[in-house]
mmCIF file with all atom_site columns, all heavy atoms in Angstrom:
data_model
loop_
_atom_site.group_PDB
_atom_site.id
_atom_site.type_symbol
_atom_site.label_atom_id
_atom_site.label_alt_id
_atom_site.label_comp_id
_atom_site.label_asym_id
_atom_site.label_entity_id
_atom_site.label_seq_id
_atom_site.pdbx_PDB_ins_code
_atom_site.Cartn_x
_atom_site.Cartn_y
_atom_site.Cartn_z
_atom_site.occupancy
_atom_site.B_iso_or_equiv
_atom_site.pdbx_formal_charge
_atom_site.auth_seq_id
_atom_site.auth_comp_id
_atom_site.auth_asym_id
_atom_site.auth_atom_id
_atom_site.pdbx_PDB_model_num
ATOM 1   N N   . PHE A 1 1  ? 71.609 -56.894 -3.299  1.00 0.00 ? 1  PHE A N   1
ATOM 2   C CA  . PHE A 1 1  ? 70.873 -57.641 -2.361  1.00 0.00 ? 1  PHE A CA  1
ATOM 3   C C   . PHE A 1 1  ? 71.254 -59.111 -2.328  1.00 0.00 ? 1  PHE A C   1
ATOM 4   O O   . PHE A 1 1  ? 71.584 -59.821 -1.324  1.00 0.00 ? 1  PHE A O   1
ATOM 5   C CB  . PHE A 1 1  ? 69.278 -57.504 -2.558  1.00 0.00 ? 1  PHE A CB  1
ATOM 6   C CG  . PHE A 1 1  ? 68.575 -58.214 -1.609  1.00 0.00 ? 1  PHE A CG  1
ATOM 7   C CD1 . PHE A 1 1  ? 68.309 -57.872 -0.310  1.00 0.00 ? 1  PHE A CD1 1
ATOM 8   C CD2 . PHE A 1 1  ? 67.848 -59.555 -2.079  1.00 0.00 ? 1  PHE A CD2 1
ATOM 9   C CE1 . PHE A 1 1  ? 67.476 -58.659 0.567   1.00 0.00 ? 1  PHE A CE1 1
ATOM 10  C CE2 . PHE A 1 1  ? 67.215 -60.345 -1.242  1.00 0.00 ? 1  PHE A CE2 1
ATOM 11  C CZ  . PHE A 1 1  ? 66.946 -59.784 0.134   1.00 0.00 ? 1  PHE A CZ  1
ATOM 12  N N   . VAL A 1 2  ? 71.279 -59.574 -3.563  1.00 0.00 ? 2  VAL A N   1
ATOM 13  C CA  . VAL A 1 2  ? 71.616 -61.180 -3.617  1.00 0.00 ? 2  VAL A CA  1
ATOM 14  C C   . VAL A 1 2  ? 73.058 -61.342 -3.353  1.00 0.00 ? 2  VAL A C   1
ATOM 15  O O   . VAL A 1 2  ? 73.402 -62.620 -3.091  1.00 0.00 ? 2  VAL A O   1
ATOM 16  C CB  . VAL A 1 2  ? 71.147 -61.612 -5.087  1.00 0.00 ? 2  VAL A CB  1
ATOM 17  C CG1 . VAL A 1 2  ? 69.713 -61.461 -5.323  1.00 0.00 ? 2  VAL A CG1 1
ATOM 18  C CG2 . VAL A 1 2  ? 71.981 -61.040 -6.219  1.00 0.00 ? 2  VAL A CG2 1
ATOM 19  N N   . ASP A 1 3  ? 73.956 -60.350 -3.427  1.00 0.00 ? 3  ASP A N   1
ATOM 20  C CA  . ASP A 1 3  ? 75.334 -60.668 -3.109  1.00 0.00 ? 3  ASP A CA  1
ATOM 21  C C   . ASP A 1 3  ? 75.540 -61.190 -1.670  1.00 0.00 ? 3  ASP A C   1
ATOM 22  O O   . ASP A 1 3  ? 76.299 -61.945 -1.307  1.00 0.00 ? 3  ASP A O   1
ATOM 23  C CB  . ASP A 1 3  ? 76.107 -59.373 -3.190  1.00 0.00 ? 3  ASP A CB  1
ATOM 24  C CG  . ASP A 1 3  ? 76.558 -59.062 -4.691  1.00 0.00 ? 3  ASP A CG  1
ATOM 25  O OD1 . ASP A 1 3  ? 76.453 -59.981 -5.496  1.00 0.00 ? 3  ASP A OD1 1
ATOM 26  O OD2 . ASP A 1 3  ? 76.906 -57.916 -4.980  1.00 0.00 ? 3  ASP A OD2 1
ATOM 27  N N   . ASN A 1 4  ? 74.448 -60.857 -0.892  1.00 0.00 ? 4  ASN A N   1
ATOM 28  C CA  . ASN A 1 4  ? 74.522 -61.228 0.640   1.00 0.00 ? 4  ASN A CA  1
ATOM 29  C C   . ASN A 1 4  ? 73.944 -62.594 0.844   1.00 0.00 ? 4  ASN A C   1
ATOM 30  O O   . ASN A 1 4  ? 73.949 -63.128 2.020   1.00 0.00 ? 4  ASN A O   1
ATOM 31  C CB  . ASN A 1 4  ? 73.780 -60.194 1.455   1.00 0.00 ? 4  ASN A CB  1
ATOM 32  C CG  . ASN A 1 4  ? 74.397 -58.866 1.339   1.00 0.00 ? 4  ASN A CG  1
ATOM 33  O OD1 . ASN A 1 4  ? 75.650 -58.730 1.247   1.00 0.00 ? 4  ASN A OD1 1
ATOM 34  N ND2 . ASN A 1 4  ? 73.585 -57.781 1.255   1.00 0.00 ? 4  ASN A ND2 1
ATOM 35  N N   . PHE A 1 5  ? 73.359 -63.250 -0.165  1.00 0.00 ? 5  PHE A N   1
ATOM 36  C CA  . PHE A 1 5  ? 72.618 -64.632 0.069   1.00 0.00 ? 5  PHE A CA  1
ATOM 37  C C   . PHE A 1 5  ? 73.180 -65.612 -0.793  1.00 0.00 ? 5  PHE A C   1
ATOM 38  O O   . PHE A 1 5  ? 72.508 -66.685 -0.981  1.00 0.00 ? 5  PHE A O   1
ATOM 39  C CB  . PHE A 1 5  ? 71.158 -64.303 -0.261  1.00 0.00 ? 5  PHE A CB  1
ATOM 40  C CG  . PHE A 1 5  ? 70.509 -63.503 0.742   1.00 0.00 ? 5  PHE A CG  1
ATOM 41  C CD1 . PHE A 1 5  ? 70.442 -62.105 0.631   1.00 0.00 ? 5  PHE A CD1 1
ATOM 42  C CD2 . PHE A 1 5  ? 69.872 -64.012 1.871   1.00 0.00 ? 5  PHE A CD2 1
ATOM 43  C CE1 . PHE A 1 5  ? 69.797 -61.291 1.623   1.00 0.00 ? 5  PHE A CE1 1
ATOM 44  C CE2 . PHE A 1 5  ? 69.262 -63.251 2.905   1.00 0.00 ? 5  PHE A CE2 1
ATOM 45  C CZ  . PHE A 1 5  ? 69.246 -61.891 2.734   1.00 0.00 ? 5  PHE A CZ  1
ATOM 46  N N   . GLY A 1 6  ? 74.375 -65.611 -1.266  1.00 0.00 ? 6  GLY A N   1
ATOM 47  C CA  . GLY A 1 6  ? 75.088 -66.682 -1.871  1.00 0.00 ? 6  GLY A CA  1
ATOM 48  C C   . GLY A 1 6  ? 74.555 -67.066 -3.293  1.00 0.00 ? 6  GLY A C   1
ATOM 49  O O   . GLY A 1 6  ? 73.849 -66.410 -3.918  1.00 0.00 ? 6  GLY A O   1
ATOM 50  N N   . ASP A 1 7  ? 75.067 -68.192 -3.723  1.00 0.00 ? 7  ASP A N   1
ATOM 51  C CA  . ASP A 1 7  ? 74.776 -68.639 -5.026  1.00 0.00 ? 7  ASP A CA  1
ATOM 52  C C   . ASP A 1 7  ? 73.423 -69.015 -5.447  1.00 0.00 ? 7  ASP A C   1
ATOM 53  O O   . ASP A 1 7  ? 72.908 -68.800 -6.497  1.00 0.00 ? 7  ASP A O   1
ATOM 54  C CB  . ASP A 1 7  ? 75.627 -69.907 -5.421  1.00 0.00 ? 7  ASP A CB  1
ATOM 55  C CG  . ASP A 1 7  ? 77.210 -69.700 -5.378  1.00 0.00 ? 7  ASP A CG  1
ATOM 56  O OD1 . ASP A 1 7  ? 77.529 -68.470 -5.563  1.00 0.00 ? 7  ASP A OD1 1
ATOM 57  O OD2 . ASP A 1 7  ? 77.976 -70.617 -5.229  1.00 0.00 ? 7  ASP A OD2 1
ATOM 58  N N   . GLY A 1 8  ? 72.721 -69.557 -4.364  1.00 0.00 ? 8  GLY A N   1
ATOM 59  C CA  . GLY A 1 8  ? 71.275 -69.811 -4.659  1.00 0.00 ? 8  GLY A CA  1
ATOM 60  C C   . GLY A 1 8  ? 70.480 -68.572 -4.986  1.00 0.00 ? 8  GLY A C   1
ATOM 61  O O   . GLY A 1 8  ? 69.656 -68.660 -5.979  1.00 0.00 ? 8  GLY A O   1
ATOM 62  N N   . ALA A 1 9  ? 70.626 -67.521 -4.304  1.00 0.00 ? 9  ALA A N   1
ATOM 63  C CA  . ALA A 1 9  ? 69.999 -66.241 -4.608  1.00 0.00 ? 9  ALA A CA  1
ATOM 64  C C   . ALA A 1 9  ? 70.344 -65.781 -5.939  1.00 0.00 ? 9  ALA A C   1
ATOM 65  O O   . ALA A 1 9  ? 69.543 -65.224 -6.803  1.00 0.00 ? 9  ALA A O   1
ATOM 66  C CB  . ALA A 1 9  ? 70.168 -65.159 -3.455  1.00 0.00 ? 9  ALA A CB  1
ATOM 67  N N   . HIS A 1 10 ? 71.707 -65.804 -6.340  1.00 0.00 ? 10 HIS A N   1
ATOM 68  C CA  . HIS A 1 10 ? 72.075 -65.391 -7.635  1.00 0.00 ? 10 HIS A CA  1
ATOM 69  C C   . HIS A 1 10 ? 71.381 -66.158 -8.731  1.00 0.00 ? 10 HIS A C   1
ATOM 70  O O   . HIS A 1 10 ? 71.040 -65.582 -9.767  1.00 0.00 ? 10 HIS A O   1
ATOM 71  C CB  . HIS A 1 10 ? 73.625 -65.537 -7.686  1.00 0.00 ? 10 HIS A CB  1
ATOM 72  C CG  . HIS A 1 10 ? 74.367 -64.369 -7.211  1.00 0.00 ? 10 HIS A CG  1
ATOM 73  N ND1 . HIS A 1 10 ? 74.519 -63.137 -7.955  1.00 0.00 ? 10 HIS A ND1 1
ATOM 74  C CD2 . HIS A 1 10 ? 75.144 -64.217 -6.101  1.00 0.00 ? 10 HIS A CD2 1
ATOM 75  C CE1 . HIS A 1 10 ? 75.300 -62.353 -7.340  1.00 0.00 ? 10 HIS A CE1 1
ATOM 76  N NE2 . HIS A 1 10 ? 75.665 -62.997 -6.233  1.00 0.00 ? 10 HIS A NE2 1
ATOM 77  N N   . TYR A 1 11 ? 71.284 -67.541 -8.605  1.00 0.00 ? 11 TYR A N   1
ATOM 78  C CA  . TYR A 1 11 ? 70.673 -68.330 -9.541  1.00 0.00 ? 11 TYR A CA  1
ATOM 79  C C   . TYR A 1 11 ? 69.183 -67.968 -9.612  1.00 0.00 ? 11 TYR A C   1
ATOM 80  O O   . TYR A 1 11 ? 68.720 -67.671 -10.890 1.00 0.00 ? 11 TYR A O   1
ATOM 81  C CB  . TYR A 1 11 ? 70.730 -69.821 -9.102  1.00 0.00 ? 11 TYR A CB  1
ATOM 82  C CG  . TYR A 1 11 ? 70.036 -70.738 -10.072 1.00 0.00 ? 11 TYR A CG  1
ATOM 83  C CD1 . TYR A 1 11 ? 70.593 -71.188 -11.147 1.00 0.00 ? 11 TYR A CD1 1
ATOM 84  C CD2 . TYR A 1 11 ? 68.807 -71.180 -9.690  1.00 0.00 ? 11 TYR A CD2 1
ATOM 85  C CE1 . TYR A 1 11 ? 70.038 -71.992 -11.996 1.00 0.00 ? 11 TYR A CE1 1
ATOM 86  C CE2 . TYR A 1 11 ? 68.087 -72.079 -10.533 1.00 0.00 ? 11 TYR A CE2 1
ATOM 87  C CZ  . TYR A 1 11 ? 68.812 -72.450 -11.684 1.00 0.00 ? 11 TYR A CZ  1
ATOM 88  O OH  . TYR A 1 11 ? 68.127 -73.377 -12.555 1.00 0.00 ? 11 TYR A OH  1
ATOM 89  N N   . LEU A 1 12 ? 68.458 -67.759 -8.638  1.00 0.00 ? 12 LEU A N   1
ATOM 90  C CA  . LEU A 1 12 ? 66.975 -67.370 -8.699  1.00 0.00 ? 12 LEU A CA  1
ATOM 91  C C   . LEU A 1 12 ? 66.866 -66.038 -9.490  1.00 0.00 ? 12 LEU A C   1
ATOM 92  O O   . LEU A 1 12 ? 66.014 -65.816 -10.212 1.00 0.00 ? 12 LEU A O   1
ATOM 93  C CB  . LEU A 1 12 ? 66.433 -67.358 -7.421  1.00 0.00 ? 12 LEU A CB  1
ATOM 94  C CG  . LEU A 1 12 ? 66.187 -68.755 -6.709  1.00 0.00 ? 12 LEU A CG  1
ATOM 95  C CD1 . LEU A 1 12 ? 65.693 -68.597 -5.346  1.00 0.00 ? 12 LEU A CD1 1
ATOM 96  C CD2 . LEU A 1 12 ? 65.218 -69.614 -7.537  1.00 0.00 ? 12 LEU A CD2 1
ATOM 97  N N   . ALA A 1 13 ? 67.664 -65.087 -9.050  1.00 0.00 ? 13 ALA A N   1
ATOM 98  C CA  . ALA A 1 13 ? 67.588 -63.696 -9.608  1.00 0.00 ? 13 ALA A CA  1
ATOM 99  C C   . ALA A 1 13 ? 67.947 -63.688 -11.197 1.00 0.00 ? 13 ALA A C   1
ATOM 100 O O   . ALA A 1 13 ? 67.317 -62.994 -11.876 1.00 0.00 ? 13 ALA A O   1
ATOM 101 C CB  . ALA A 1 13 ? 68.582 -62.762 -8.889  1.00 0.00 ? 13 ALA A CB  1
ATOM 102 N N   . LYS A 1 14 ? 68.960 -64.443 -11.583 1.00 0.00 ? 14 LYS A N   1
ATOM 103 C CA  . LYS A 1 14 ? 69.297 -64.567 -12.958 1.00 0.00 ? 14 LYS A CA  1
ATOM 104 C C   . LYS A 1 14 ? 68.217 -65.176 -13.738 1.00 0.00 ? 14 LYS A C   1
ATOM 105 O O   . LYS A 1 14 ? 67.855 -64.855 -14.761 1.00 0.00 ? 14 LYS A O   1
ATOM 106 C CB  . LYS A 1 14 ? 70.549 -65.448 -13.102 1.00 0.00 ? 14 LYS A CB  1
ATOM 107 C CG  . LYS A 1 14 ? 71.182 -65.462 -14.511 1.00 0.00 ? 14 LYS A CG  1
ATOM 108 C CD  . LYS A 1 14 ? 72.447 -66.186 -14.544 1.00 0.00 ? 14 LYS A CD  1
ATOM 109 C CE  . LYS A 1 14 ? 73.012 -66.279 -15.985 1.00 0.00 ? 14 LYS A CE  1
ATOM 110 N NZ  . LYS A 1 14 ? 73.222 -64.971 -16.635 1.00 0.00 ? 14 LYS A NZ  1
ATOM 111 N N   . LYS A 1 15 ? 67.534 -66.287 -13.160 1.00 0.00 ? 15 LYS A N   1
ATOM 112 C CA  . LYS A 1 15 ? 66.516 -66.870 -13.905 1.00 0.00 ? 15 LYS A CA  1
ATOM 113 C C   . LYS A 1 15 ? 65.211 -65.938 -14.084 1.00 0.00 ? 15 LYS A C   1
ATOM 114 O O   . LYS A 1 15 ? 64.573 -65.957 -15.231 1.00 0.00 ? 15 LYS A O   1
ATOM 115 C CB  . LYS A 1 15 ? 66.033 -68.116 -13.175 1.00 0.00 ? 15 LYS A CB  1
ATOM 116 C CG  . LYS A 1 15 ? 67.096 -69.379 -13.234 1.00 0.00 ? 15 LYS A CG  1
ATOM 117 C CD  . LYS A 1 15 ? 67.208 -69.801 -14.685 1.00 0.00 ? 15 LYS A CD  1
ATOM 118 C CE  . LYS A 1 15 ? 68.206 -70.931 -14.975 1.00 0.00 ? 15 LYS A CE  1
ATOM 119 N NZ  . LYS A 1 15 ? 68.368 -71.269 -16.337 1.00 0.00 ? 15 LYS A NZ  1
ATOM 120 N N   . MET A 1 16 ? 65.008 -65.220 -13.132 1.00 0.00 ? 16 MET A N   1
ATOM 121 C CA  . MET A 1 16 ? 63.820 -64.146 -13.144 1.00 0.00 ? 16 MET A CA  1
ATOM 122 C C   . MET A 1 16 ? 64.146 -63.246 -14.262 1.00 0.00 ? 16 MET A C   1
ATOM 123 O O   . MET A 1 16 ? 63.272 -62.946 -15.050 1.00 0.00 ? 16 MET A O   1
ATOM 124 C CB  . MET A 1 16 ? 63.653 -63.541 -11.908 1.00 0.00 ? 16 MET A CB  1
ATOM 125 C CG  . MET A 1 16 ? 62.941 -64.406 -10.837 1.00 0.00 ? 16 MET A CG  1
ATOM 126 S SD  . MET A 1 16 ? 62.735 -63.479 -9.151  1.00 0.00 ? 16 MET A SD  1
ATOM 127 C CE  . MET A 1 16 ? 61.652 -62.408 -9.593  1.00 0.00 ? 16 MET A CE  1
ATOM 128 N N   . GLU A 1 17 ? 65.326 -62.646 -14.325 1.00 0.00 ? 17 GLU A N   1
ATOM 129 C CA  . GLU A 1 17 ? 65.710 -61.727 -15.344 1.00 0.00 ? 17 GLU A CA  1
ATOM 130 C C   . GLU A 1 17 ? 65.685 -62.319 -16.677 1.00 0.00 ? 17 GLU A C   1
ATOM 131 O O   . GLU A 1 17 ? 65.066 -61.682 -17.611 1.00 0.00 ? 17 GLU A O   1
ATOM 132 C CB  . GLU A 1 17 ? 67.162 -61.132 -15.003 1.00 0.00 ? 17 GLU A CB  1
ATOM 133 C CG  . GLU A 1 17 ? 67.445 -59.941 -16.000 1.00 0.00 ? 17 GLU A CG  1
ATOM 134 C CD  . GLU A 1 17 ? 68.869 -59.419 -15.671 1.00 0.00 ? 17 GLU A CD  1
ATOM 135 O OE1 . GLU A 1 17 ? 69.721 -60.154 -15.201 1.00 0.00 ? 17 GLU A OE1 1
ATOM 136 O OE2 . GLU A 1 17 ? 69.106 -58.275 -16.034 1.00 0.00 ? 17 GLU A OE2 1
ATOM 137 N N   . GLU A 1 18 ? 66.169 -63.468 -16.884 1.00 0.00 ? 18 GLU A N   1
ATOM 138 C CA  . GLU A 1 18 ? 66.287 -64.104 -18.229 1.00 0.00 ? 18 GLU A CA  1
ATOM 139 C C   . GLU A 1 18 ? 64.867 -64.371 -18.640 1.00 0.00 ? 18 GLU A C   1
ATOM 140 O O   . GLU A 1 18 ? 64.529 -64.379 -19.911 1.00 0.00 ? 18 GLU A O   1
ATOM 141 C CB  . GLU A 1 18 ? 67.155 -65.398 -18.140 1.00 0.00 ? 18 GLU A CB  1
ATOM 142 C CG  . GLU A 1 18 ? 68.639 -65.053 -18.063 1.00 0.00 ? 18 GLU A CG  1
ATOM 143 C CD  . GLU A 1 18 ? 69.410 -66.338 -18.119 1.00 0.00 ? 18 GLU A CD  1
ATOM 144 O OE1 . GLU A 1 18 ? 68.797 -67.419 -18.060 1.00 0.00 ? 18 GLU A OE1 1
ATOM 145 O OE2 . GLU A 1 18 ? 70.641 -66.277 -17.949 1.00 0.00 ? 18 GLU A OE2 1
ATOM 146 N N   . SER A 1 19 ? 63.985 -64.726 -17.818 1.00 0.00 ? 19 SER A N   1
ATOM 147 C CA  . SER A 1 19 ? 62.603 -65.037 -18.274 1.00 0.00 ? 19 SER A CA  1
ATOM 148 C C   . SER A 1 19 ? 61.894 -63.855 -18.817 1.00 0.00 ? 19 SER A C   1
ATOM 149 O O   . SER A 1 19 ? 61.086 -63.938 -19.714 1.00 0.00 ? 19 SER A O   1
ATOM 150 C CB  . SER A 1 19 ? 61.700 -65.573 -17.047 1.00 0.00 ? 19 SER A CB  1
ATOM 151 O OG  . SER A 1 19 ? 61.482 -64.487 -16.027 1.00 0.00 ? 19 SER A OG  1
ATOM 152 N N   . LEU A 1 20 ? 62.253 -62.689 -18.380 1.00 0.00 ? 20 LEU A N   1
ATOM 153 C CA  . LEU A 1 20 ? 61.825 -61.451 -18.983 1.00 0.00 ? 20 LEU A CA  1
ATOM 154 C C   . LEU A 1 20 ? 62.387 -61.157 -20.313 1.00 0.00 ? 20 LEU A C   1
ATOM 155 O O   . LEU A 1 20 ? 61.758 -60.963 -21.252 1.00 0.00 ? 20 LEU A O   1
ATOM 156 C CB  . LEU A 1 20 ? 62.023 -60.239 -17.961 1.00 0.00 ? 20 LEU A CB  1
ATOM 157 C CG  . LEU A 1 20 ? 61.054 -60.000 -16.911 1.00 0.00 ? 20 LEU A CG  1
ATOM 158 C CD1 . LEU A 1 20 ? 61.661 -58.890 -15.994 1.00 0.00 ? 20 LEU A CD1 1
ATOM 159 C CD2 . LEU A 1 20 ? 59.642 -59.852 -17.318 1.00 0.00 ? 20 LEU A CD2 1
ATOM 160 N N   . LYS A 1 21 ? 63.710 -61.393 -20.329 1.00 0.00 ? 21 LYS A N   1
ATOM 161 C CA  . LYS A 1 21 ? 64.582 -60.976 -21.516 1.00 0.00 ? 21 LYS A CA  1
ATOM 162 C C   . LYS A 1 21 ? 64.292 -61.968 -22.748 1.00 0.00 ? 21 LYS A C   1
ATOM 163 O O   . LYS A 1 21 ? 64.457 -61.655 -23.830 1.00 0.00 ? 21 LYS A O   1
ATOM 164 C CB  . LYS A 1 21 ? 65.974 -60.831 -21.199 1.00 0.00 ? 21 LYS A CB  1
ATOM 165 C CG  . LYS A 1 21 ? 66.331 -59.682 -20.453 1.00 0.00 ? 21 LYS A CG  1
ATOM 166 C CD  . LYS A 1 21 ? 67.781 -59.718 -20.185 1.00 0.00 ? 21 LYS A CD  1
ATOM 167 C CE  . LYS A 1 21 ? 68.122 -58.439 -19.227 1.00 0.00 ? 21 LYS A CE  1
ATOM 168 N NZ  . LYS A 1 21 ? 69.382 -58.559 -18.665 1.00 0.00 ? 21 LYS A NZ  1
ATOM 169 N N   . LEU A 1 22 ? 63.895 -63.150 -22.396 1.00 0.00 ? 22 LEU A N   1
ATOM 170 C CA  . LEU A 1 22 ? 63.560 -64.142 -23.485 1.00 0.00 ? 22 LEU A CA  1
ATOM 171 C C   . LEU A 1 22 ? 62.384 -63.725 -24.311 1.00 0.00 ? 22 LEU A C   1
ATOM 172 O O   . LEU A 1 22 ? 62.294 -64.307 -25.427 1.00 0.00 ? 22 LEU A O   1
ATOM 173 C CB  . LEU A 1 22 ? 63.361 -65.411 -22.855 1.00 0.00 ? 22 LEU A CB  1
ATOM 174 C CG  . LEU A 1 22 ? 64.655 -66.267 -22.462 1.00 0.00 ? 22 LEU A CG  1
ATOM 175 C CD1 . LEU A 1 22 ? 64.256 -67.577 -21.689 1.00 0.00 ? 22 LEU A CD1 1
ATOM 176 C CD2 . LEU A 1 22 ? 65.581 -66.585 -23.702 1.00 0.00 ? 22 LEU A CD2 1
ATOM 177 N N   . ILE A 1 23 ? 61.595 -62.784 -23.797 1.00 0.00 ? 23 ILE A N   1
ATOM 178 C CA  . ILE A 1 23 ? 60.506 -62.323 -24.589 1.00 0.00 ? 23 ILE A CA  1
ATOM 179 C C   . ILE A 1 23 ? 61.025 -61.345 -25.645 1.00 0.00 ? 23 ILE A C   1
ATOM 180 O O   . ILE A 1 23 ? 60.382 -61.203 -26.718 1.00 0.00 ? 23 ILE A O   1
ATOM 181 C CB  . ILE A 1 23 ? 59.404 -61.396 -23.591 1.00 0.00 ? 23 ILE A CB  1
ATOM 182 C CG1 . ILE A 1 23 ? 58.927 -62.420 -22.598 1.00 0.00 ? 23 ILE A CG1 1
ATOM 183 C CG2 . ILE A 1 23 ? 58.382 -60.890 -24.453 1.00 0.00 ? 23 ILE A CG2 1
ATOM 184 C CD1 . ILE A 1 23 ? 58.088 -61.698 -21.509 1.00 0.00 ? 23 ILE A CD1 1
ATOM 185 N N   . THR A 1 24 ? 62.171 -60.777 -25.524 1.00 0.00 ? 24 THR A N   1
ATOM 186 C CA  . THR A 1 24 ? 62.810 -59.987 -26.514 1.00 0.00 ? 24 THR A CA  1
ATOM 187 C C   . THR A 1 24 ? 64.052 -60.722 -26.931 1.00 0.00 ? 24 THR A C   1
ATOM 188 O O   . THR A 1 24 ? 64.640 -61.632 -26.318 1.00 0.00 ? 24 THR A O   1
ATOM 189 C CB  . THR A 1 24 ? 63.200 -58.534 -25.918 1.00 0.00 ? 24 THR A CB  1
ATOM 190 O OG1 . THR A 1 24 ? 64.278 -58.756 -25.052 1.00 0.00 ? 24 THR A OG1 1
ATOM 191 C CG2 . THR A 1 24 ? 62.127 -57.896 -25.225 1.00 0.00 ? 24 THR A CG2 1
ATOM 192 N N   . PRO A 1 25 ? 64.637 -60.336 -28.162 1.00 0.00 ? 25 PRO A N   1
ATOM 193 C CA  . PRO A 1 25 ? 65.851 -60.948 -28.728 1.00 0.00 ? 25 PRO A CA  1
ATOM 194 C C   . PRO A 1 25 ? 67.170 -60.466 -28.111 1.00 0.00 ? 25 PRO A C   1
ATOM 195 O O   . PRO A 1 25 ? 68.113 -60.782 -28.751 1.00 0.00 ? 25 PRO A O   1
ATOM 196 C CB  . PRO A 1 25 ? 65.720 -60.658 -30.215 1.00 0.00 ? 25 PRO A CB  1
ATOM 197 C CG  . PRO A 1 25 ? 65.022 -59.306 -30.138 1.00 0.00 ? 25 PRO A CG  1
ATOM 198 C CD  . PRO A 1 25 ? 64.161 -59.227 -29.060 1.00 0.00 ? 25 PRO A CD  1
ATOM 199 N N   . GLY A 1 26 ? 67.188 -59.759 -26.916 1.00 0.00 ? 26 GLY A N   1
ATOM 200 C CA  . GLY A 1 26 ? 68.398 -59.218 -26.483 1.00 0.00 ? 26 GLY A CA  1
ATOM 201 C C   . GLY A 1 26 ? 69.280 -60.096 -25.710 1.00 0.00 ? 26 GLY A C   1
ATOM 202 O O   . GLY A 1 26 ? 70.276 -59.619 -25.206 1.00 0.00 ? 26 GLY A O   1
ATOM 203 N N   . ILE A 1 27 ? 68.876 -61.359 -25.482 1.00 0.00 ? 27 ILE A N   1
ATOM 204 C CA  . ILE A 1 27 ? 69.614 -62.221 -24.545 1.00 0.00 ? 27 ILE A CA  1
ATOM 205 C C   . ILE A 1 27 ? 71.105 -62.318 -24.909 1.00 0.00 ? 27 ILE A C   1
ATOM 206 O O   . ILE A 1 27 ? 71.897 -62.359 -24.088 1.00 0.00 ? 27 ILE A O   1
ATOM 207 C CB  . ILE A 1 27 ? 69.038 -63.588 -24.369 1.00 0.00 ? 27 ILE A CB  1
ATOM 208 C CG1 . ILE A 1 27 ? 69.632 -64.370 -23.336 1.00 0.00 ? 27 ILE A CG1 1
ATOM 209 C CG2 . ILE A 1 27 ? 68.966 -64.346 -25.701 1.00 0.00 ? 27 ILE A CG2 1
ATOM 210 C CD1 . ILE A 1 27 ? 69.370 -63.876 -21.951 1.00 0.00 ? 27 ILE A CD1 1
ATOM 211 N N   . MET A 1 28 ? 71.437 -62.375 -26.271 1.00 0.00 ? 28 MET A N   1
ATOM 212 C CA  . MET A 1 28 ? 72.796 -62.598 -26.734 1.00 0.00 ? 28 MET A CA  1
ATOM 213 C C   . MET A 1 28 ? 73.632 -61.434 -26.274 1.00 0.00 ? 28 MET A C   1
ATOM 214 O O   . MET A 1 28 ? 74.775 -61.439 -25.720 1.00 0.00 ? 28 MET A O   1
ATOM 215 C CB  . MET A 1 28 ? 72.824 -62.676 -28.250 1.00 0.00 ? 28 MET A CB  1
ATOM 216 C CG  . MET A 1 28 ? 74.273 -62.756 -28.781 1.00 0.00 ? 28 MET A CG  1
ATOM 217 S SD  . MET A 1 28 ? 74.354 -62.869 -30.500 1.00 0.00 ? 28 MET A SD  1
ATOM 218 C CE  . MET A 1 28 ? 73.816 -61.146 -30.945 1.00 0.00 ? 28 MET A CE  1
ATOM 219 N N   . PHE A 1 29 ? 73.085 -60.129 -26.486 1.00 0.00 ? 29 PHE A N   1
ATOM 220 C CA  . PHE A 1 29 ? 73.841 -58.909 -26.102 1.00 0.00 ? 29 PHE A CA  1
ATOM 221 C C   . PHE A 1 29 ? 74.006 -58.862 -24.610 1.00 0.00 ? 29 PHE A C   1
ATOM 222 O O   . PHE A 1 29 ? 75.123 -58.442 -24.032 1.00 0.00 ? 29 PHE A O   1
ATOM 223 C CB  . PHE A 1 29 ? 73.177 -57.644 -26.591 1.00 0.00 ? 29 PHE A CB  1
ATOM 224 C CG  . PHE A 1 29 ? 73.041 -57.753 -28.209 1.00 0.00 ? 29 PHE A CG  1
ATOM 225 C CD1 . PHE A 1 29 ? 71.836 -57.762 -28.770 1.00 0.00 ? 29 PHE A CD1 1
ATOM 226 C CD2 . PHE A 1 29 ? 74.154 -57.628 -28.948 1.00 0.00 ? 29 PHE A CD2 1
ATOM 227 C CE1 . PHE A 1 29 ? 71.650 -57.739 -30.094 1.00 0.00 ? 29 PHE A CE1 1
ATOM 228 C CE2 . PHE A 1 29 ? 74.106 -57.774 -30.311 1.00 0.00 ? 29 PHE A CE2 1
ATOM 229 C CZ  . PHE A 1 29 ? 72.795 -57.772 -30.924 1.00 0.00 ? 29 PHE A CZ  1
ATOM 230 N N   . GLU A 1 30 ? 72.846 -59.167 -23.858 1.00 0.00 ? 30 GLU A N   1
ATOM 231 C CA  . GLU A 1 30 ? 73.104 -59.042 -22.426 1.00 0.00 ? 30 GLU A CA  1
ATOM 232 C C   . GLU A 1 30 ? 74.059 -60.091 -21.806 1.00 0.00 ? 30 GLU A C   1
ATOM 233 O O   . GLU A 1 30 ? 74.689 -59.708 -20.899 1.00 0.00 ? 30 GLU A O   1
ATOM 234 C CB  . GLU A 1 30 ? 71.593 -59.314 -21.875 1.00 0.00 ? 30 GLU A CB  1
ATOM 235 C CG  . GLU A 1 30 ? 70.642 -58.314 -22.049 1.00 0.00 ? 30 GLU A CG  1
ATOM 236 C CD  . GLU A 1 30 ? 70.690 -57.158 -20.983 1.00 0.00 ? 30 GLU A CD  1
ATOM 237 O OE1 . GLU A 1 30 ? 71.470 -57.287 -20.044 1.00 0.00 ? 30 GLU A OE1 1
ATOM 238 O OE2 . GLU A 1 30 ? 70.040 -56.136 -21.178 1.00 0.00 ? 30 GLU A OE2 1
#
């Protein structure tokens, strides 16, 4: 979905995913 909306959408989606993963220690592997 975000592929169709450019860098801004990619940035927001990435931040949302990272906010979840920061609760767990897996960010390095991801």
